[in-house]
Every structure is written in structure tokens, then in C-alpha cells.
Amino acid sequence: MLELRPNCECCNKDLPPDSSEAVICTFECTFCQSCASGVLANQCPNCGGNFSTRPIRPASLLGKYPASTKRVLKAGGCSANS
């Protein structure tokens, strides 16, 4: 099951489970659209993969399948060469 991380790994922006601004790579690295398309030029700094829009988890399922509360943040933020 998708982890649904709660924040952008670059700028630490909150990305709740229903956010349409969250993007992920195949390893579930999570970023906001602004960081992904801007500083990262649509390439994950962790694995080198591309991004897709993260699916939302309906509120009715969050009780049974909660989103992650563990925040992941790259030390020093992100750059295209992170």
C-alpha cells in the first residue's frame, strides 16, 4: 500500500492525503509539484526517476488505512544535483 508521506522532501510543504499537489517517484519519494517541476526539473534527486501525480486516499478509508506521519526531509533542501 502506498505510504502517502505527509510533506515535500525539499521544502517541507504539507501534503495531506487528498493533496492534488503531491507527486511521487517509483520509490515513493514525495515532493510538491513546484519543487518537482522547478528545482528538480522533473527528476527525482534520490533515484533519478520521473514523477507521477500521487493518488489521493479517500477520507472514508483513512481510518482503516492511515497516511504516514513520518516526515522525510532532505538535509539542506534540494537542488537538481542533490
Side-chain angles (χ1 to χ4, degrees):
M1 177 162 309
L2 193 60
E3 191 173 333
L4 293 183
R5 295 177 184 166
N7 64 302
C8 174
E9 291 184 31
C10 284
C11 69
N12 204 30
K13 178 179 183 170
D14 289 336
L15 296 169
D18 63 350
S19 176
S20 61
E21 295 183 61
V23 296
I24 58 172
C25 72
T26 60
F27 290 95
E28 297 184 46
C29 302
T30 304
F31 301 94
C32 68
Q33 286 182 349
S34 179
C35 287
S37 64
V39 68
L40 299 176
N42 292 310
Q43 184 174 28
C44 180
N46 302 320
C47 71
N50 65 331
F51 297 111
S52 294
T53 302
R54 184 183 73 184
I56 64 163
R57 184 158 304 151
S60 62
L61 295 175
L62 286 172
K64 187 173 182 178
Y65 305 105
S68 175
T69 58
K70 181 181 177 189
R71 298 180 83 82
V72 177
L73 188 62
K74 293 183 70 59
C78 290
S79 69
N81 298 324
S82 290

